[in-house]
Amino acid sequence: GATVTPSVATATVTTSQSDYTIANNIGYIRLNNTSGGSINVSGILSTGVPNGRTVIIVNVSAAPADVIQLTNLDGSSASANQFDMPGAQPILLSQKGDATFIYDATLSKWELVSTN
């Protein structure tokens, strides 16, 4: 079998993000929140995403106050782009925190696999 290594990308965000777009080959996204406070990410654009695609999001912000909150079923993003969290609670990514999601085409949602 072949080994598939996802590509890594780093992006700086200064405001909350809806339907966040990442390239199809990116499996590990390093988000650098430079807003000086907490921001929300309400979903990842799912157009053309295959069933089972995995994405890892990590907060690489320099300041501890620059939290990234991944919101649950947030209407700021289109339904098929939303995160679906256990217990319907948001995930707070503090500095160096990460969350892994898999796209479930049957549910048309990004399902949380793990968080740290």
Side-chain angles (χ1 to χ4, degrees), residues 32-95:
N32 181 18
N33 173 8
T34 60
S35 71
S38 180
I39 64 164
N40 294 339
V41 177
S42 61
I44 299 172
L45 187 66
S46 64
T47 303
V49 171
N51 189 38
R53 179 177 177 191
T54 301
V55 173
I56 300 167
I57 302 169
V58 62
N59 181 348
V60 296
S61 305
D66 292 334
V67 172
I68 298 171
Q69 178 171 261
L70 306 175
T71 57
N72 180 66
L73 301 178
D74 188 329
S76 297
S77 281
S79 180
N81 301 338
Q82 295 171 357
F83 300 117
D84 187 15
M85 312 292 192
Q89 298 300 310
I91 300 295
L92 299 177
L93 296 182
S94 299
Q95 204 175 29

